[in-house]
Amino acid sequence: QLQLVESGGGLVQPGGSLRLSCTVSEFTVGDLDDYAIAWFRQAPGKEPEGVACISTSVSLTRYTDSVKGRFIISTDNAKSTVYLQMNSLKPEDTADYYCRWGPYAKRDCIMSTPYWGPWGQGTQVTVSS
C-alpha cells in the first residue's frame, strides 16, 4: 500500500551528523496519521534492530537506548517525509538504515514485532575516521 524511499546516508567522521529522509508515497492517503513509521538498521554481521519510531496519531516517539539523546525522528506531513536526525555519530552507528511502515504500531510504536511493512533498499551510513 505504501512505497518508502530512504536517502541521506553517507560517510561521516565520529561526532558528526547526518539527516536521513524517508519519503512516503501513498495511493489514497495524503498524510502519515494512519501509520507509524520507524527506522531500522542492520550493522555488518548483526541482526537488524529498531532505531526510532514515530506515530503522529498518538504523538508518540520511541528510541532504542543506544541512540537516545543523539537521534531525533520527526515528520513533515506536507512533504510525506520522515526524518532521522543523527547527531554525535559513533562508529557503532555504522549500518544500513531502512524505514518501514506499521499500521498497528501507530498505537504504541513497538518495533520488536513482525507487523511492519517490507524492507526497501535502505541507505548506508558509515561512521569512520
Side-chain angles (χ1 to χ4, degrees), residues 65-82:
D65 287 344
S66 64
V67 309
K68 288 180 179 177
R70 299 190 297 121
F71 291 9
I72 301 172
I73 189 169
S74 62
T75 64
D76 185 336
N77 282 357
K79 298 180 179 179
S80 296
T81 300
V82 179

PDB file of all heavy atoms in Angstrom, residues 65-82:
ATOM      1  N   ASP A  65      17.786   2.422  23.194  1.00  0.00           N
ATOM      2  CA  ASP A  65      18.592   3.077  24.221  1.00  0.00           C
ATOM      3  C   ASP A  65      19.895   3.652  23.679  1.00  0.00           C
ATOM      4  O   ASP A  65      20.352   4.712  24.125  1.00  0.00           O
ATOM      5  CB  ASP A  65      18.905   2.098  25.351  1.00  0.00           C
ATOM      6  CG  ASP A  65      17.710   1.809  26.231  1.00  0.00           C
ATOM      7  OD1 ASP A  65      16.724   2.572  26.180  1.00  0.00           O
ATOM      8  OD2 ASP A  65      17.766   0.821  26.985  1.00  0.00           O
ATOM      9  N   SER A  66      20.505   2.989  22.733  1.00  0.00           N
ATOM     10  CA  SER A  66      21.820   3.397  22.265  1.00  0.00           C
ATOM     11  C   SER A  66      21.819   4.722  21.507  1.00  0.00           C
ATOM     12  O   SER A  66      22.886   5.309  21.309  1.00  0.00           O
ATOM     13  CB  SER A  66      22.437   2.301  21.390  1.00  0.00           C
ATOM     14  OG  SER A  66      21.671   2.098  20.218  1.00  0.00           O
ATOM     15  N   VAL A  67      20.655   5.201  21.084  1.00  0.00           N
ATOM     16  CA  VAL A  67      20.599   6.450  20.327  1.00  0.00           C
ATOM     17  C   VAL A  67      19.855   7.554  21.058  1.00  0.00           C
ATOM     18  O   VAL A  67      19.788   8.679  20.543  1.00  0.00           O
ATOM     19  CB  VAL A  67      19.975   6.244  18.934  1.00  0.00           C
ATOM     20  CG1 VAL A  67      20.661   5.097  18.208  1.00  0.00           C
ATOM     21  CG2 VAL A  67      18.470   6.013  19.024  1.00  0.00           C
ATOM     22  N   LYS A  68      19.323   7.279  22.223  1.00  0.00           N
ATOM     23  CA  LYS A  68      18.591   8.301  22.968  1.00  0.00           C
ATOM     24  C   LYS A  68      19.493   9.493  23.282  1.00  0.00           C
ATOM     25  O   LYS A  68      20.623   9.329  23.729  1.00  0.00           O
ATOM     26  CB  LYS A  68      18.025   7.715  24.263  1.00  0.00           C
ATOM     27  CG  LYS A  68      16.865   6.773  24.052  1.00  0.00           C
ATOM     28  CD  LYS A  68      16.346   6.222  25.374  1.00  0.00           C
ATOM     29  CE  LYS A  68      15.169   5.295  25.159  1.00  0.00           C
ATOM     30  NZ  LYS A  68      14.699   4.688  26.427  1.00  0.00           N
ATOM     31  N   GLY A  69      18.970  10.669  23.041  1.00  0.00           N
ATOM     32  CA  GLY A  69      19.736  11.884  23.244  1.00  0.00           C
ATOM     33  C   GLY A  69      20.596  12.280  22.076  1.00  0.00           C
ATOM     34  O   GLY A  69      21.143  13.393  22.074  1.00  0.00           O
ATOM     35  N   ARG A  70      20.749  11.406  21.094  1.00  0.00           N
ATOM     36  CA  ARG A  70      21.572  11.699  19.928  1.00  0.00           C
ATOM     37  C   ARG A  70      20.758  11.782  18.639  1.00  0.00           C
ATOM     38  O   ARG A  70      21.067  12.583  17.768  1.00  0.00           O
ATOM     39  CB  ARG A  70      22.660  10.640  19.754  1.00  0.00           C
ATOM     40  CG  ARG A  70      23.621  10.543  20.921  1.00  0.00           C
ATOM     41  CD  ARG A  70      24.817   9.650  20.590  1.00  0.00           C
ATOM     42  NE  ARG A  70      24.414   8.271  20.332  1.00  0.00           N
ATOM     43  CZ  ARG A  70      24.645   7.625  19.184  1.00  0.00           C
ATOM     44  NH1 ARG A  70      25.275   8.250  18.178  1.00  0.00           N
ATOM     45  NH2 ARG A  70      24.260   6.369  19.037  1.00  0.00           N
ATOM     46  N   PHE A  71      19.730  10.950  18.509  1.00  0.00           N
ATOM     47  CA  PHE A  71      18.918  10.897  17.303  1.00  0.00           C
ATOM     48  C   PHE A  71      17.550  11.498  17.579  1.00  0.00           C
ATOM     49  O   PHE A  71      17.015  11.380  18.691  1.00  0.00           O
ATOM     50  CB  PHE A  71      18.725   9.457  16.831  1.00  0.00           C
ATOM     51  CG  PHE A  71      19.958   8.776  16.296  1.00  0.00           C
ATOM     52  CD1 PHE A  71      21.212   9.347  16.398  1.00  0.00           C
ATOM     53  CD2 PHE A  71      19.841   7.541  15.680  1.00  0.00           C
ATOM     54  CE1 PHE A  71      22.336   8.713  15.915  1.00  0.00           C
ATOM     55  CE2 PHE A  71      20.958   6.896  15.184  1.00  0.00           C
ATOM     56  CZ  PHE A  71      22.207   7.472  15.299  1.00  0.00           C
ATOM     57  N   ILE A  72      16.978  12.115  16.556  1.00  0.00           N
ATOM     58  CA  ILE A  72      15.632  12.673  16.640  1.00  0.00           C
ATOM     59  C   ILE A  72      14.861  12.265  15.399  1.00  0.00           C
ATOM     60  O   ILE A  72      15.310  12.505  14.277  1.00  0.00           O
ATOM     61  CB  ILE A  72      15.652  14.207  16.768  1.00  0.00           C
ATOM     62  CG1 ILE A  72      16.435  14.650  18.007  1.00  0.00           C
ATOM     63  CG2 ILE A  72      14.218  14.749  16.821  1.00  0.00           C
ATOM     64  CD1 ILE A  72      16.661  16.143  18.093  1.00  0.00           C
ATOM     65  N   ILE A  73      13.690  11.674  15.597  1.00  0.00           N
ATOM     66  CA  ILE A  73      12.818  11.331  14.492  1.00  0.00           C
ATOM     67  C   ILE A  73      11.706  12.370  14.413  1.00  0.00           C
ATOM     68  O   ILE A  73      11.180  12.814  15.436  1.00  0.00           O
ATOM     69  CB  ILE A  73      12.250   9.905  14.633  1.00  0.00           C
ATOM     70  CG1 ILE A  73      11.511   9.485  13.362  1.00  0.00           C
ATOM     71  CG2 ILE A  73      11.367   9.764  15.859  1.00  0.00           C
ATOM     72  CD1 ILE A  73      11.151   8.000  13.329  1.00  0.00           C
ATOM     73  N   SER A  74      11.358  12.772  13.203  1.00  0.00           N
ATOM     74  CA  SER A  74      10.334  13.780  13.008  1.00  0.00           C
ATOM     75  C   SER A  74       9.653  13.550  11.672  1.00  0.00           C
ATOM     76  O   SER A  74      10.124  12.759  10.843  1.00  0.00           O
ATOM     77  CB  SER A  74      10.926  15.195  13.077  1.00  0.00           C
ATOM     78  OG  SER A  74      11.871  15.397  12.042  1.00  0.00           O
ATOM     79  N   THR A  75       8.537  14.252  11.467  1.00  0.00           N
ATOM     80  CA  THR A  75       7.787  14.116  10.228  1.00  0.00           C
ATOM     81  C   THR A  75       7.465  15.479   9.648  1.00  0.00           C
ATOM     82  O   THR A  75       7.401  16.488  10.353  1.00  0.00           O
ATOM     83  CB  THR A  75       6.468  13.361  10.431  1.00  0.00           C
ATOM     84  OG1 THR A  75       5.597  14.112  11.292  1.00  0.00           O
ATOM     85  CG2 THR A  75       6.702  11.989  11.040  1.00  0.00           C
ATOM     86  N   ASP A  76       7.273  15.506   8.354  1.00  0.00           N
ATOM     87  CA  ASP A  76       6.732  16.651   7.652  1.00  0.00           C
ATOM     88  C   ASP A  76       5.610  16.097   6.787  1.00  0.00           C
ATOM     89  O   ASP A  76       5.856  15.573   5.700  1.00  0.00           O
ATOM     90  CB  ASP A  76       7.796  17.347   6.815  1.00  0.00           C
ATOM     91  CG  ASP A  76       7.286  18.624   6.164  1.00  0.00           C
ATOM     92  OD1 ASP A  76       6.063  18.763   5.964  1.00  0.00           O
ATOM     93  OD2 ASP A  76       8.117  19.494   5.847  1.00  0.00           O
ATOM     94  N   ASN A  77       4.389  16.202   7.288  1.00  0.00           N
ATOM     95  CA  ASN A  77       3.261  15.598   6.579  1.00  0.00           C
ATOM     96  C   ASN A  77       3.026  16.227   5.208  1.00  0.00           C
ATOM     97  O   ASN A  77       2.613  15.539   4.273  1.00  0.00           O
ATOM     98  CB  ASN A  77       1.990  15.705   7.420  1.00  0.00           C
ATOM     99  CG  ASN A  77       1.938  14.679   8.530  1.00  0.00           C
ATOM    100  OD1 ASN A  77       2.819  13.832   8.655  1.00  0.00           O
ATOM    101  ND2 ASN A  77       0.891  14.746   9.343  1.00  0.00           N
ATOM    102  N   ALA A  78       3.285  17.521   5.095  1.00  0.00           N
ATOM    103  CA  ALA A  78       3.094  18.186   3.815  1.00  0.00           C
ATOM    104  C   ALA A  78       3.995  17.606   2.737  1.00  0.00           C
ATOM    105  O   ALA A  78       3.636  17.598   1.556  1.00  0.00           O
ATOM    106  CB  ALA A  78       3.329  19.687   3.953  1.00  0.00           C
ATOM    107  N   LYS A  79       5.158  17.139   3.146  1.00  0.00           N
ATOM    108  CA  LYS A  79       6.106  16.542   2.212  1.00  0.00           C
ATOM    109  C   LYS A  79       6.074  15.022   2.228  1.00  0.00           C
ATOM    110  O   LYS A  79       6.829  14.389   1.486  1.00  0.00           O
ATOM    111  CB  LYS A  79       7.520  17.018   2.526  1.00  0.00           C
ATOM    112  CG  LYS A  79       7.718  18.519   2.383  1.00  0.00           C
ATOM    113  CD  LYS A  79       9.151  18.910   2.720  1.00  0.00           C
ATOM    114  CE  LYS A  79       9.364  20.405   2.564  1.00  0.00           C
ATOM    115  NZ  LYS A  79      10.757  20.806   2.910  1.00  0.00           N
ATOM    116  N   SER A  80       5.206  14.447   3.069  1.00  0.00           N
ATOM    117  CA  SER A  80       5.123  12.992   3.224  1.00  0.00           C
ATOM    118  C   SER A  80       6.497  12.393   3.482  1.00  0.00           C
ATOM    119  O   SER A  80       6.891  11.396   2.864  1.00  0.00           O
ATOM    120  CB  SER A  80       4.473  12.351   1.991  1.00  0.00           C
ATOM    121  OG  SER A  80       3.135  12.776   1.840  1.00  0.00           O
ATOM    122  N   THR A  81       7.210  13.005   4.411  1.00  0.00           N
ATOM    123  CA  THR A  81       8.586  12.624   4.677  1.00  0.00           C
ATOM    124  C   THR A  81       8.808  12.451   6.172  1.00  0.00           C
ATOM    125  O   THR A  81       8.305  13.235   6.975  1.00  0.00           O
ATOM    126  CB  THR A  81       9.564  13.672   4.128  1.00  0.00           C
ATOM    127  OG1 THR A  81       9.385  13.789   2.712  1.00  0.00           O
ATOM    128  CG2 THR A  81      11.000  13.275   4.408  1.00  0.00           C
ATOM    129  N   VAL A  82       9.555  11.423   6.515  1.00  0.00           N
ATOM    130  CA  VAL A  82      10.001  11.176   7.878  1.00  0.00           C
ATOM    131  C   VAL A  82      11.510  11.330   7.905  1.00  0.00           C
ATOM    132  O   VAL A  82      12.211  10.790   7.043  1.00  0.00           O
ATOM    133  CB  VAL A  82       9.584   9.785   8.365  1.00  0.00           C
ATOM    134  CG1 VAL A  82      10.076   9.546   9.781  1.00  0.00           C
ATOM    135  CG2 VAL A  82       8.074   9.623   8.289  1.00  0.00           C
TER     136      VAL A  82
END
